[in-house]
Amino acid sequence: MISLSIALIKQSALVKSIRRSGVFAFSVTLLVSVSALLSPVHASQSTHPNLVVNQQDVLTMRAAIKQPGSFKQAFEAQKAQVDSLLTQPILVPVPVDAGGGYTHERHKKNYQQMYDAGMMYQLTQQQKYADYVRDMLLEYAKLYPSLPLHPKRKSRNEGKLFWQGLNEAVWLVYTIQAYDFIVSSLDDTQRKTIETGILLPVADFLSVQSPHTFNKVHNHGTWATAAVGMTGFVLDKPELVETALLDLEKSGKGGFLRQLDELFSPDGYYNEGPYYQRYALLPFVTFAKAIEQNQPERKIFEYRNNILLKAIYSTVELSYNRLFFPLNDAIKSKGIDTTELVIAVSIAYGLTANNDLVDIAKQQNRILLTGDGLKLAQAIDANKPSHYPFISREFLDGKNGDEGALIVMRQHTPTDQAIVFKATAQGLGHGHFDKLTWQFYDAGEEIVSDYGAARFLNIEAKAGGRYLPENKTWAKQTVAHNTLVVDETSHFKGDVKVGNKNHPIVDFYHHDDKLTLASAHIDTAYDDVNISRTMALVSVKVDDKDTPLVFDIVEVNSDNSHQYDLPLHYQGQLIDSNFARQAATEKLTPLGKQAGYQHLWLKANATPKKGLAKVTWLNDNGLFYTHSSIVDGNTDVLFTQLGANDPDFNLRNEHSFIQRTNSKQHRFVSVLEPHGEYNPSAEYTLNATSNLETLTYERQGDLSIVGFSVLSNQGSTTFVLAINHQTKNSLDNNKDNNTTQRFSYLGKTYSFDTRYQLIQISQ
Amino acid sequence: MISLSIALIKQSALVKSIRRSGVFAFSVTLLVSVSALLSPVHASQSTHPNLVVNQQDVLTMRAAIKQPGSFKQAFEAQKAQVDSLLTQPILVPVPVDAGGGYTHERHKKNYQQMYDAGMMYQLTQQQKYADYVRDMLLEYAKLYPSLPLHPKRKSRNEGKLFWQGLNEAVWLVYTIQAYDFIVSSLDDTQRKTIETGILLPVADFLSVQSPHTFNKVHNHGTWATAAVGMTGFVLDKPELVETALLDLEKSGKGGFLRQLDELFSPDGYYNEGPYYQRYALLPFVTFAKAIEQNQPERKIFEYRNNILLKAIYSTVELSYNRLFFPLNDAIKSKGIDTTELVIAVSIAYGLTANNDLVDIAKQQNRILLTGDGLKLAQAIDANKPSHYPFISREFLDGKNGDEGALIVMRQHTPTDQAIVFKATAQGLGHGHFDKLTWQFYDAGEEIVSDYGAARFLNIEAKAGGRYLPENKTWAKQTVAHNTLVVDETSHFKGDVKVGNKNHPIVDFYHHDDKLTLASAHIDTAYDDVNISRTMALVSVKVDDKDTPLVFDIVEVNSDNSHQYDLPLHYQGQLIDSNFARQAATEKLTPLGKQAGYQHLWLKANATPKKGLAKVTWLNDNGLFYTHSSIVDGNTDVLFTQLGANDPDFNLRNEHSFIQRTNSKQHRFVSVLEPHGEYNPSAEYTLNATSNLETLTYERQGDLSIVGFSVLSNQGSTTFVLAINHQTKNSLDNNKDNNTTQRFSYLGKTYSFDTRYQLIQISQ
């Protein structure tokens, strides 16, 4: 195998150089039929297991289960579960059902059970566990060769055991690991039966018989290449490994390496968002770990500047209080404790021994029975302090990092304030029309929220557990997000193809101890409207206390007059507004007809007088939040509740308010401020009204001048925040040329040469 | 003092015998002016402190703060807080503000701070702490004599330091304890100034000058008598103690003992419900503890069969997953960790050393710096297993236990299923028109819920933090509860005086290992309608698994035709119904005009076909709940959401469905069933549809025959539950006379002589 590995590395280097020069023509000459390789060449007994877990791992694990500690506990719990499994009959039914149905769930359970029993065999060396896996595989070997395509198959991604090929690939990723655990216990006949009856046929089905998926640079392709490549390692079939890495034609146009090149941005951001990122991550890290074991000289984890480690870290960081940011189609209860990320974090820890990851593993609260899992268990037992550094970051989007970015702004601790400012690309079919939207989190909870996906996963009564119709009619629409809607029409007119071709431009991102600041714009969401948004998470000292404030400046420009709506979806109970509202008390009607507006009941409307319009709500975390906007006297505020045109009660009845104005140019300037505390248990309420006393905005050349004052013990403390909108190049030139930006505020003149200036004017 | 104590006991015995014979005439002859007693007779230095904390307690506490443990930690935390206090100026402002305002909150803080500093003096013997209390009291002694009645006073319960006398009494309850801690550090002049300048004047104001409150058998009276009585102990003024115990006239018609006789039922249930019970409890247990220290021979905690201990235990038990059942006007976030119950539980533990209470104290997570607090801290540190036995119980209501009952049905553990079946009396001014309502809890959460109070405590923007208008128009109304509404009119036509005069009758309550069962009726909620309700919490074995089921049988009878509405307020997202619903998708209108109906938007309606009508929802706890009702084809089901006619967005927008029928007699027979699991994090959904396959009801003489079958691995398992509605006497006679109740089900005949029979008919 070593000679092969070197060959592969050379091949890979070749492919790389080719890729750089853009020449791919030679690939056809390497075309090989994997089907021709089905004659079994058994892997040697001495090299198993050697995928995610190797022989050395097994030796240390066998020692660890004899010592007290969390690894031993995890082993014993798992052993009890597997033992109970062994008392039940092996069931390998003829595939009939779609997702959620009996045969589907049965085959899903089977691969997990084979994996668990196989690992138990490695740990205990008791034959009964190996026999269980063997017997199940023999059943599969009997069933599979005669199977037609699945009766409930989905077009373009067909399966045999499952309705879609994706599940078939996942099945093989687990099953090949289980086989790797027990292969050394089998005689030649058994091996031959299993390898030719089920393992190679599934690998062949996933690759040669499914070229469209296998060669695709997409996470479905990653599952297929991982399954086939790992099968190649275990069965000692270098051809399978090579096609997995380079595609069926070994062209490098598809395959695992190309997937590594393209599916993540240089920062490890996956453009469908963290919900799909954690799912896509599993075949990547699993196959990479297997490559690392079998072809360490490939240094797969260093590939593309450690792209896989970056992807793992970024998945961890795209979360707040353990739950993933619900970007695009995302089910909101998914968080960092998902199996995929437990495995990925263990593998990253095995590679790096980075103590920060121990904090994450503790929160995941699950010990894996692998070599890396043991290392983490030992680190957890050692109980060294570990705090994962959740900090402000810009995650560039696009394979070249040039398709916008997701900007995460954070204060000190993981449950302090966090802003997600989404200036990313569309994110393909699961993307939402939510350019320049934002979310806000504080004290552990969502405050300004994103609906996520409209879906009840696997609940048959809710559209068969698939995406609900309201995912399209509401959740994907622009008005379902905290960003600008023009003329009650979603971004890109709701056309995902147009969305995929366009993305916002991030104008700047800046982070230091005082604040995080970013600005982005998009000119393509609407034909004739330019939108730019600048956001800042700031903490100012008032009465010696850190006072967090969120600044939000949305600028809209068009040559034509339009209706501009800026919705804000808040979590909590409305407490008050500093302007009169006309409530709909006897009748509710929908706010609009389409683009999501048909789902909003209009509960109240208002036209606040020129000045500062404030809306205060109380979140379940016991804190108050006040949103203060500069209004011109011609801006309406519409209070809505979700739930109109929802005959099946599919939607959560959440609350929003929408600032609405009709004009060519408009600037929405707002501050969001956490304040006070509601503690009915201890019977006190503190500071239930906003502390923001004034807010002003003025544009002076390249500068935004935001003045604000905050109530303090001495009366009021005034600040000015000057933001420099120059391009990065111009800004750099300032310093080089010794030029400064000047601005005047309250009769005084100030100058600076950096991105921003934040000054306390008065006590 | 001892001679006085004996005199008092004799007096008390006399009063008791008088009370029994109904003769009260002698009381007038004992009338004494407390004002005449204001000349100071200082308590001797050797006897302080001796209220809730005595000198022996102080000695053990001083030792404990030198040993590691949770008591020492609590001491150190408290000391740091008090030390920071001492750096701040003493502020004793002239009273101006109502509740929530500055002077109100300042005087509230002051008494707590004097208490804390006083205790710190006892523990550390450092003079600075005593000086702080002394200086603040001297300020009060300067201010108080000149004070008029409070400018924002409330009629009939006036204060001077506070807008209501209630707060003034609470102030003295804390302040007299603080004085007790530091009195031995004062010279005679200081004592005289403080006692005649503030302590006795406040006691005089609360008693002689406020006879209406002081003599009242009501929790406001308890605060006043506790404050005055404890002042009597500390200042060695037996007259004050005596009037506190027996009322101003020493008649025994009012005073603390009468309050003990009347404010709790024999089971320790307080008829306003647990939210007010925990508040009322504090002066009771505090004064009682002081009586126990000073007059142990009175055996106050044994008074009326340990009524105070019963009240403490019942307060603990009127909770689910740490939160009180929200009966009547109750803010839902109040739970067993409130200060009042922390103090009460510590006193109960000091008296009984009952290990069950350690479990509660652990959940309260707060160590008190008192002698009893130390005992609990040591018990917690010892870490002995302790599980408070939350079990099914009937809490009789009414001072004689003959005004209905609150019935709590529970399964095994504290977070298993629990039913609250409310067949209590009205509960005075804070009572709701909710006769025979119920609530259901499971897996830590509310499933079938009660709105509680419509109030945002102390949030100025929400009606000044007081009860909202919607508390009267919604929260108190019958339709806001899970019980029968006739002709869209609340029970007793919403008249609290009529409500207070009438109550349901509990027909039976039965509890054993298999089920808890109760039945109650009321004929007075409406002029011509009799309502009876029978509920059972049952656990049957299906496939060897415990399967919990709630049975609910509501019978309504009238000679006249009426509209009968049976609402059910569910917590969660509607998943499905097994009947078609016509949803209001384009317009919502209120369901009615009054009695709470004006607040309900009608979101959908349906008329299920004759048979079993099922509604399934998903709770935040991840479990599914299906409510299955036998319907006759003429019963409508109305799906509603709260929020109509709510101009200020004061209401939570919760969901309900209402069964509606028009007839003279009707029987609503339903089963509520928890099932399955929704786990989008681990990506599985189990058993999202109801397992109840059939439900039948037949009345055979005195028996309700409920047949039901549950889906099982073998197909279906059929049971019959026969409930005997005979009176308790008739039931007892059955056994004496060897007669049995017979019933037939599915062609077979069964007989039994007990309250119920639950039989598995088929596998």
Side-chain angles (χ1 to χ4, degrees), chain A residues 135-395:
Chain A
D135 292 346
M136 193 179 283
L137 284 170
L138 289 171
E139 289 298 316
Y140 273 106
K142 256 187 257 171
L143 175 74
Y144 198 81
S146 65
L147 283 184
L149 289 176
H150 194 284
K152 298 264 171 69
R153 64 189 172 274
K154 293 172 85 173
S155 60
R156 292 177 69 85
N157 185 8
E158 301 165 328
K160 287 181 154 186
L161 288 171
F162 296 92
W163 65 329
Q164 52 179 349
L166 174 61
N167 296 108
E168 202 110 340
V170 177
W171 184 93
L172 186 56
V173 165
Y174 281 85
T175 302
I176 194 63
Q177 293 181 75
Y179 184 70
D180 188 34
F181 294 146
I182 64 122
V183 61
S184 50
S185 76
L186 301 178
D187 65 31
D188 278 358
T189 316
Q190 289 162 347
R191 288 193 195 191
K192 186 176 167 188
T193 307
I194 291 168
E195 294 182 8
T196 60
I198 175 72
L199 299 176
L200 286 167
V202 175
D204 194 58
F205 175 74
L206 291 172
S207 55
V208 176
Q209 297 176 50
S210 307
H212 174 80
T213 302
F214 190 80
N215 284 350
K216 197 173 180 184
V217 183
H218 180 276
N219 80 71
H220 288 196
T222 311
W223 281 103
T225 55
V228 170
M230 288 162 72
T231 304
F233 284 133
V234 177
L235 272 50
D236 201 9
K237 297 211 172 283
E239 276 295 315
L240 291 186
V241 176
E242 210 167 343
T243 50
L245 288 167
L246 297 171
D247 83 13
L248 283 172
E249 297 77 23
K250 297 185 197 158
S251 75
K253 284 185 195 169
F256 189 71
L257 296 175
R258 175 55 75 97
Q259 289 157 1
L260 278 176
D261 288 334
E262 297 199 358
L263 288 180
F264 297 100
S265 83
D267 287 335
Y269 179 78
Y270 183 79
N271 77 352
E272 293 187 292
Y275 178 77
Y276 280 97
Q277 174 151 353
R278 57 84 218 167
Y279 184 67
L281 206 52
L282 187 58
F284 273 112
V285 297
T286 303
F287 189 25
K289 178 80 182 182
I291 295 169
E292 182 74 8
Q293 304 270 20
N294 288 280
Q295 304 177 350
E297 61 291 342
R298 185 179 282 281
K299 298 188 175 170
I300 190 74
F301 282 101
E302 292 172 33
Y303 189 81
R304 202 181 160 211
N305 294 316
N306 307 309
I307 190 66
L308 278 178
L309 286 171
K310 285 179 179 167
I312 296 171
Y313 285 114
S314 73
T315 311
V316 169
E317 290 177 33
L318 293 173
S319 69
Y320 181 82
N321 196 16
R322 309 182 188 195
L323 293 180
F324 292 129
F325 297 133
L327 307 176
N328 300 325
D329 284 345
I331 286 174
K332 293 177 97 166
S333 42
K334 272 279 186 197
I336 59 169
D337 62 347
T338 52
T339 298
E340 297 91 344
L341 199 56
V342 171
I343 294 171
V345 164
S346 75
I347 288 175
Y349 184 76
L351 286 163
T352 63
N354 179 351
N355 192 48
D356 296 340
L357 292 174
V358 181
D359 181 21
I360 302 302
K362 276 185 200 163
Q363 295 180 48
Q364 290 174 330
N365 195 26
R366 191 168 142 210
I367 302 292
L368 284 183
L369 298 181
T370 64
D372 296 329
L374 171 58
K375 288 176 194 165
L376 264 179
Q378 288 167 339
I380 288 170
D381 290 349
N383 209 18
K384 274 195 299 180
S386 165
H387 296 289
Y388 191 94
F390 285 96
I391 55 170
S392 290
R393 272 193 67 184
E394 180 186 30
F395 297 88

Side-chain angles (χ1 to χ4, degrees), chain A residues 278 333-334 456-457 462 573-574 585-588 590 641 645 649 651 653 655 678 680-681 683 685, chain B residues 278 333-334 456-457 462 573-574 585-588 590 641 645 649 651 653 655 678 680-681 683 685:
Chain A
R278 57 84 218 167
S333 42
K334 272 279 186 197
F456 293 90
L457 196 72
K462 291 294 192 192
Q573 178 90 25
L574 189 86
T585 55
E586 290 284 348
K587 190 177 84 170
L588 292 187
Q641 184 170 19
N645 283 293
F649 291 37
L651 293 168
N653 302 136
H655 299 90
Y678 179 58
S681 168
E683 293 199 352
T685 298
Chain B
R278 57 85 218 165
S333 42
K334 272 282 184 195
F456 293 91
L457 197 72
K462 290 294 191 192
Q573 178 92 25
L574 190 85
T585 55
E586 289 284 349
K587 189 176 85 170
L588 290 188
Q641 184 170 21
N645 283 292
F649 290 38
L651 292 169
N653 302 135
H655 300 89
Y678 180 58
S681 168
E683 292 198 353
T685 297

Side-chain angles (χ1 to χ4, degrees), chain B residues 493-524:
Chain B
K493 297 193 181 78
D495 185 331
V496 70
K497 281 186 195 156
V498 179
N500 283 334
K501 284 185 198 139
N502 295 283
H503 58 79
I505 310 292
V506 175
D507 296 308
F508 57 81
Y509 165 77
H510 176 91
H511 170 65
D512 63 28
D513 286 352
K514 277 187 181 169
L515 57 62
T516 308
L517 178 65
S519 189
H521 72 273
I522 185 161
D523 300 340
T524 51

Side-chain angles (χ1 to χ4, degrees), chain B residues 31-38 144 156-160 165-166 168-169 172 198-216 220-232 237-250 255 259:
Chain B
L31 184 65
V32 174
S33 164
V34 176
S35 303
L37 292 163
L38 288 189
Y144 198 80
R156 293 177 68 86
N157 184 7
E158 302 165 329
K160 286 180 154 188
L166 174 62
E168 203 110 338
L172 186 55
I198 176 71
L199 299 177
L200 286 167
V202 175
D204 194 57
F205 176 74
L206 291 173
S207 53
V208 176
Q209 297 175 48
S210 306
H212 175 80
T213 303
F214 190 80
N215 285 350
K216 198 173 179 184
H220 289 196
T222 311
W223 281 101
T225 54
V228 171
M230 288 162 72
T231 304
K237 296 212 174 279
E239 277 294 313
L240 292 186
V241 176
E242 210 168 344
T243 50
L245 289 167
L246 297 171
D247 84 13
L248 284 171
E249 296 78 22
K250 297 185 196 158
Q259 289 156 1

